[in-house]
Amino acid sequence: ENAVLFQGVPKFRLPPLSLEEVEKFLELRKIKLPPGELQRLYSASEGNPLYIYYFTQNQVSPLPEGLYDYQDSLWQQLSSIQKEIMNLLAHSFSNLNLSDLHALLNSELLITKMPMETKQILDSIVPLIRQSEGHYEFFHMHFRDHVCRISEMDGLHEKYHKMLAEYAANRKWTVAAAFHYLKANDPRMREYLKEGATTAMLRGEWLLAETFLKNEISFLKDNEDFHNEA
């Protein structure tokens, strides 16, 4: 009843797992730990279900204290090029495949000459990312959010949205171009807001269409063009 909606799906807060529940969850993932290691995992995680899930996907040693430190430990293990790819994936409105990521990675500076070189880098990031139906995605949305938070703290949030907006515009992905130019606070958003809103409505993305239209109306008011174009 009081569940917060996440992308239209109710989100529920789970209570901490007991030591016995952690052990059973690990067994389901075919992971068996000696009693001492199991206790250390339980103490470090405080029974957080997401921490335990992270452990089953990407084991870190020594065990970080708490979920945030676990995510940060995973992030710090990556190279600068791996982090660049992760940021592109994390900020992207659209699903990105190998061809997209190769083009984006080399849009400002030649880093990989051939797509297969880019694929080698992508493969080296597994299991933090995975390939699904031809595109790449994070192993968990919570880690994607963590990457976006780091980017925002580093002042790179708008930079990635601008890169993705220009790529989307070149590909004629109207909704994605409007979304990213808006996130980048780039005035070029005006070229895409109205058409982006129309396309978003046709897709049933009502909240996104509303956001685009509100920003377009705001521009019209600011430029005193509202009555002329209404």
Side-chain angles (χ1 to χ4, degrees):
E1 182 181 349
N2 297 319
V4 177
L5 287 180
F6 175 72
Q7 297 182 347
V9 179
K11 181 173 68 173
F12 298 94
R13 186 176 297 277
L14 294 176
L17 300 176
S18 67
L19 180 61
E20 292 74 19
E21 288 172 329
V22 170
E23 186 174 22
K24 287 178 181 177
F25 184 77
L26 294 177
E27 286 176 358
L28 289 173
R29 300 284 175 165
K30 299 186 176 0
I31 298 174
K32 181 69 174 175
L33 297 178
E37 290 184 28
L38 178 62
Q39 184 60 55
R40 280 195 292 275
L41 173 61
Y42 183 68
S43 298
S45 68
E46 297 180 333
N48 186 311
L50 188 53
Y51 186 112
I52 304 301
Y53 175 74
Y54 274 29
F55 179 81
T56 65
Q57 301 298 304
N58 310 273
Q59 295 185 22
V60 173
S61 181
L63 287 171
E65 294 293 330
L67 182 61
Y68 182 90
D69 286 348
Y70 202 113
Q71 293 177 135
D72 200 49
S73 179
L74 293 173
W75 180 248
Q76 295 306 328
Q77 291 178 0
L78 299 174
S79 69
S80 57
I81 296 177
Q82 289 174 323
K83 288 178 179 178
E84 190 74 4
I85 288 177
M86 294 286 272
N87 268 304
L88 291 168
L89 280 174
H91 289 84
S92 183
F93 176 83
S94 306
N95 291 330
L96 300 177
N97 59 27
L98 173 59
S99 178
D100 298 322
L101 287 164
H102 179 70
L104 284 161
L105 185 62
N106 295 284
S107 61
E108 296 181 339
L109 183 68
L110 183 61
I111 296 174
T112 56
K113 292 181 180 179
M114 297 176 290
M116 292 311 295
E117 290 182 54
T118 302
K119 188 176 187 307
Q120 284 183 333
I121 300 172
L122 287 163
D123 289 344
S124 72
I125 308 175
V126 174
L128 292 178
I129 62 172
R130 60 193 174 201
Q131 198 170 15
S132 175
E133 298 181 355
H135 66 270
Y136 287 87
E137 62 185 19
F138 277 72
F139 82 100
H140 199 283
M141 288 299 296
H142 203 279
F143 189 63
R144 174 180 177 168
D145 294 342
H146 183 75
V147 173
C148 288
R149 281 195 298 271
I150 292 173
S151 171
E152 195 159 7
M153 288 188 294
D154 290 341
L156 296 172
H157 184 69
E158 290 187 357
K159 180 247 189 189
Y160 287 112
H161 279 298
K162 183 177 177 181
M163 285 178 64
L164 289 159
E166 291 171 349
Y167 184 75
N170 288 334
R171 295 294 304 271
K172 301 190 185 307
W173 296 345
T174 310
V175 176
F179 174 85
H180 288 300
Y181 277 132
L182 182 59
K183 289 287 187 180
N185 198 30
D186 190 304
R188 286 176 287 180
M189 73 178 85
R190 282 220 64 190
E191 300 173 35
Y192 300 94
L193 287 173
K194 285 190 285 187
E195 188 179 347
T198 301
T199 305
M201 283 189 284
L202 291 173
R203 293 179 181 176
E205 297 171 330
W206 305 109
L207 292 178
L208 188 60
E210 182 183 11
T211 298
F212 290 166
L213 289 174
K214 282 182 177 178
N215 279 275
E216 175 64 14
I217 291 169
S218 178
F219 270 116
L220 292 172
K221 287 181 177 178
D222 290 344
N223 296 330
E224 298 181 350
D225 291 335
F226 184 76
H227 293 294
N228 294 331
E229 294 193 26

